[in-house]
Amino acid sequence: RAGVVEYFRHEVRHDFRTGPCGIRAMHLTIPPGFIERRSREVAIRELEPTRALRLAHLLLAELTAPDESSELAMESLAHELLAEVTPAARAPERGARPPRWLEAARDALHDRCDGVIGLAGLADAVGVSPGHLARAFRARYGSSPGEYQRRVRVARAARLLASSGERLARVALEAGFHDQAHFTRAFGAHVGITPARFRRALGG
């Protein structure tokens, strides 16, 4: 049926029966041994529907409309989905103040918002596993590192639009977007209007 997210171990054979309308499915292939290195208690089951399905939809959105932050976002979302089948690793750290390594990861996304950052490299820089970073980051900041990086780029672009007369293509590059089309789409999704309209609203 529609809206199902399932996990199958690599040695388990499975098939799908479809109706006359067919199906649209997304498959995430996990390298053999990847999960087993993290947990010996991996269930073969239908995942918790609400959270897993939301993560799957976010991953599909990144696949269908990729931009400069999508690689980091997709890697983070994939790790979050994998965490749904490793119960021991589900709960991220909580507390009044985030740990220093998590703040360092967030700061790196601000400092290098115009460059390419991979989840593995970011996790290695702060001394934790990629999966732990992905889960803890969402728990603290409400998004994947890739989604957060995209918001940082949009905010930087908004400041540039407000303070400079640079052409939109130049603003896009300085904010970390590869081209104006990606910039316009991301800006509109986060701000609600195009960069040109935003600048006009400020009297620029």
Side-chain angles (χ1 to χ4, degrees):
R1 65 188 186 278
V4 171
V5 181
E6 292 183 306
Y7 166 72
F8 298 95
R9 295 179 72 106
H10 66 86
E11 71 274 13
V12 174
R13 296 187 63 176
H14 58 276
D15 58 19
F16 298 96
R17 285 180 292 177
T18 65
C21 296
I23 63 170
R24 184 183 184 201
M26 177 175 63
H27 297 267
L28 176 63
T29 302
I30 307 162
F34 185 90
I35 287 183
E36 286 76 3
R37 288 197 300 269
R38 287 150 178 77
S39 173
R40 294 180 180 178
E41 301 298 327
V42 179
I44 304 172
R45 58 184 172 80
E46 185 172 312
L47 306 183
E48 194 281 315
T50 303
R51 175 172 165 76
L53 189 58
R54 178 174 176 270
L55 292 170
H57 277 295
L58 290 171
L59 183 56
L60 180 61
E62 294 290 350
L63 281 168
T64 53
D67 65 11
E68 295 75 15
S69 297
S70 289
E71 184 175 346
L72 177 58
M74 286 189 286
E75 194 174 359
S76 302
L77 289 164
H79 275 281
E80 289 185 76
L81 266 174
L82 294 180
E84 294 299 301
V85 295
T86 52
R90 280 186 189 176
E93 296 180 33
R94 293 185 181 275
R97 180 179 175 82
R100 285 187 174 183
W101 63 263
L102 190 55
E103 290 185 320
R106 180 204 59 196
D107 292 345
L109 294 175
H110 283 270
D111 295 340
R112 299 170 55 190
C113 76
D114 57 348
V116 177
I117 305 175
L119 184 66
L122 185 60
D124 186 59
V126 299
V128 298
S129 70
H132 187 52
L133 172 59
R135 294 188 298 275
F137 199 95
R138 182 176 295 280
R140 182 69 189 185
Y141 302 113
S143 70
S144 73
E147 294 165 316
Y148 187 91
Q149 182 187 58
R150 189 179 291 121
R151 292 203 305 268
V152 170
R153 285 173 167 163
V154 168
R156 181 175 181 178
R159 291 194 297 271
L160 289 170
L161 289 170
S163 62
S164 76
E166 293 277 6
R167 294 170 52 246
L168 294 182
R170 183 63 187 173
V171 169
L173 291 175
E174 289 188 22
F177 295 93
H178 289 170
D179 57 51
Q180 189 173 335
H182 281 171
F183 167 49
T184 299
R185 185 175 69 229
F187 195 93
H190 284 82
V191 181
I193 58 175
T194 65
R197 287 187 62 190
F198 179 84
R199 174 172 272 172
R200 286 197 298 270
L202 295 175

